């Protein structure tokens, strides 16, 4: 974390990465005004106290949570046909919940620890419940579109054969075999993922009507007016916020430095967990950056989007593999699902490459 009055040794070597991204986590987009990046500090060093910075940030996110909840209720009524508006409200609700939860984790020492741990766990539960329906819908769209592209006239699996100088016969045969099973594979995926999405939608509605959710909403409503700080926090120096934020940054840098090298086996799914962990740590670092510096970190937008795409491709590949294990499916269907799985694993590698290209901290990717 770059302090307002000093630079760190991990200063980004590039400017703001191009693009804003539109992945499942829409909060990864850059929303800073033009010309305002992470080099502009909104909080002077003397004002970096929990009362002046952390408490207002948490109150603001709590207000966003409550506003999004109200909009969700308004657009989810049977008389309201605004399904898109309800989905947007749900995303905003999750966005605020993630920021509150992440800040409670990073700055736990500055807050009432029992209260912070309890609310963080409940917000994680809520965000997870609300995310599943959207995730299944996005996964189905991704897989069906990939099947359509793979069974079309430009079959990626045959590109290597053409490059090696072989005839187009293998291309045609592979495309024909894939075409036979693609329609059935798409129908199978649609049945499985639509069922999962429907169940997730029911679970979300049940959660939003539960006493557990109402307790969470009440706790966030209290947070909007009163932030329970740890005893003795009042009047503490800026280090009370800077040190936890810098620890979050160092955990991220260490995780990125430990990521597998670029020339590793693309189908080694055991390596996915390390990338997922880096994604979570990047999110915590971004939220800490927002708290301490008062603005988003635009240089991290593209690499954050790449990790979102990495997560999506990993989960899509797993869904294709799970569908291929369905009992008594036709060989052509299993073949199409196998090609689809391979395609998504290549998308995993592509997302990792984008992350490496856009990662702004050069030292983290040069570690052995």
């Amino acid at each position: 974390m770059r302090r307002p009055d000093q630079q760190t040794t991990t200063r980004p070597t590039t400017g703001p990465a191009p693009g804003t991204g539109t992945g499942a986590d829409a909060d990864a987009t850059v929303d800073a005004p033009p010309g305002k990046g992470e080099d502009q500090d909104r909080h002077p060093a003397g004002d970096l106290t929990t009362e002046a910075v952390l408490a207002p940030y948490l109150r603001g996110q709590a207000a966003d949570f409550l506003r999004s909840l109200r909009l969700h209720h308004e657009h989810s009524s049977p008389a309201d046909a605004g399904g898109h508006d309800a989905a947007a409200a749900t995303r905003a609700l999750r966005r605020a919940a993630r920021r509150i939860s992440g800040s409670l984790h990073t700055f736990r020492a500055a807050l009432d620890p029992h209260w912070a741990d309890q609310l963080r766990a409940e917000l994680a539960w809520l965000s997870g419940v609300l995310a599943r329906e959207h995730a299944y819908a996005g996964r189905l769209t991704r897989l069906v579109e990939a099947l359509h592209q793979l069974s079309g006239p430009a079959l990626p699996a045959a590109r290597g054969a053409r490059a090696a100088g072989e005839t187009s016969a293998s291309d045609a045969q592979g495309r024909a075999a894939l075409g036979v099973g693609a329609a059935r594979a798409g129908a199978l995926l649609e049945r499985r993922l639509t069922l999962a999405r429907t169940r997730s939608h029911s679970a979300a509605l049940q959660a939003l009507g539960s006493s557990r959710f109402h307790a969470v909403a009440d706790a966030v409503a209290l947070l909007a007016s009163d932030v329970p700080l740890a005893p003795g926090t009042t009047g503490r120096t800026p280090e009370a916020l800077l040190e936890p934020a810098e620890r979050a940054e160092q955990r991220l840098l260490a995780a990125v430095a430990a990521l597998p090298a670029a020339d590793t086996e693309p189908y080694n799914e055991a390596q996915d967990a390390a990338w997922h962990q880096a994604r979570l740590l990047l999110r915590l670092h971004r939220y800490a950056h927002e708290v301490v510096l008062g603005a988003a970190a635009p240089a991290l937008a593209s690499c954050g989007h790449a990790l979102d795409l990495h997560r999506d491709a990993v989960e899509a590949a797993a869904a294709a593999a799970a569908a291929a294990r369905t009992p008594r499916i036709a060989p052509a269907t299993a073949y199409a699902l196998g090609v689809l799985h391979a395609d998504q694993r290549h998308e995993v590698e592509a997302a990792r490459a984008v992350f490496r290209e856009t990662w702004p901290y050069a030292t983290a990717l040069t570690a052995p």
Side-chain angles (χ1 to χ4, degrees):
M1 175 64 58
R2 185 182 306 171
R3 303 188 185 201
D5 55 348
Q6 88 180 70
Q7 296 176 347
T8 69
T9 57
T10 56
R11 180 170 181 165
T13 57
T14 63
T20 58
T22 56
D25 297 316
D27 63 319
T29 61
V30 178
D31 53 6
K36 293 184 179 180
E38 65 175 338
D39 284 327
Q40 178 171 345
D41 305 317
R42 298 185 183 178
H43 300 308
D47 291 341
L48 278 175
T49 62
T50 53
E51 308 99 299
V53 175
L54 179 59
Y57 179 85
L58 289 173
R59 288 196 297 267
Q61 294 302 324
D64 287 346
F65 180 99
L66 298 173
R67 188 180 305 111
S68 301
L69 179 59
R70 184 182 68 252
L71 291 174
H72 183 275
H73 288 328
E74 291 176 357
H75 295 295
S76 298
S77 63
D80 195 324
H84 176 76
D85 292 333
T90 300
R91 289 194 297 270
L93 187 66
R94 290 176 48 224
R95 178 182 183 274
R98 287 196 302 268
R99 278 168 163 73
I100 297 171
S101 179
S103 300
L104 296 181
H105 173 80
T106 300
F107 302 105
R108 179 179 182 273
L111 302 162
D112 181 318
H114 176 73
W115 167 83
D117 292 343
Q118 186 175 28
L119 181 55
R120 181 165 62 92
E122 293 302 284
L123 288 172
W125 160 76
L126 176 63
S127 182
V129 169
L130 296 179
R132 292 190 189 104
E133 179 184 359
H134 174 76
Y136 283 124
R139 199 169 306 154
L140 176 59
T141 299
R142 181 188 185 95
L143 289 171
V144 170
E145 289 178 352
L147 268 177
H148 177 73
Q149 293 174 359
L150 289 170
S151 60
L155 181 63
R159 291 172 185 166
R162 290 197 299 270
E166 297 182 6
T167 65
S168 60
S170 63
D171 184 2
Q173 291 173 355
R175 188 164 57 248
L178 182 57
V180 170
R184 292 182 178 179
L188 175 59
L189 288 168
E190 185 167 1
R191 287 196 303 271
R192 290 171 61 93
L193 293 176
T194 299
L195 177 60
R197 179 186 180 184
T198 300
R199 290 174 174 172
S200 298
H201 179 73
S202 299
L205 291 179
Q206 184 177 4
L208 291 173
S210 67
S211 59
R212 183 178 183 181
F213 170 74
H214 289 297
V216 175
D218 289 344
V220 175
L222 291 174
L223 175 62
S225 59
D226 179 36
V227 178
L229 301 177
T233 300
T234 303
R236 290 180 63 182
T237 63
E239 275 64 29
L241 295 181
L242 289 173
E243 290 177 359
E246 288 176 354
R247 284 195 297 269
E249 181 184 58
Q250 292 305 315
R251 286 193 295 269
L252 168 63
L253 295 177
V256 172
L259 289 174
D263 57 353
T264 55
E265 171 58 46
Y267 295 96
N268 189 345
E269 278 121 359
Q271 297 174 353
D272 294 341
W275 288 87
H276 294 331
Q277 179 67 7
R279 175 178 172 272
L280 294 176
L281 292 175
L282 176 58
R283 174 179 289 177
L284 290 175
H285 170 56
R286 286 175 42 231
Y287 297 165
H289 191 291
E290 291 180 7
V291 171
V292 174
L293 297 185
L300 297 176
S302 287
C303 54
H305 179 53
L307 291 181
D308 289 342
L309 292 178
H310 177 274
R311 185 271 317 273
D312 293 345
V314 166
E315 293 180 347
R325 293 191 291 270
T326 302
R328 298 182 298 278
I329 62 174
T333 305
Y335 172 73
L337 291 169
V339 173
L340 182 60
H341 173 269
D343 172 74
Q344 292 303 301
R345 289 307 304 182
H346 283 300
E347 290 295 318
V348 169
E349 283 301 299
R352 293 178 181 180
V354 172
F355 173 81
R356 293 186 179 99
E357 292 169 1
T358 57
W359 178 245
Y361 299 89
T363 56
L365 291 180
T366 58

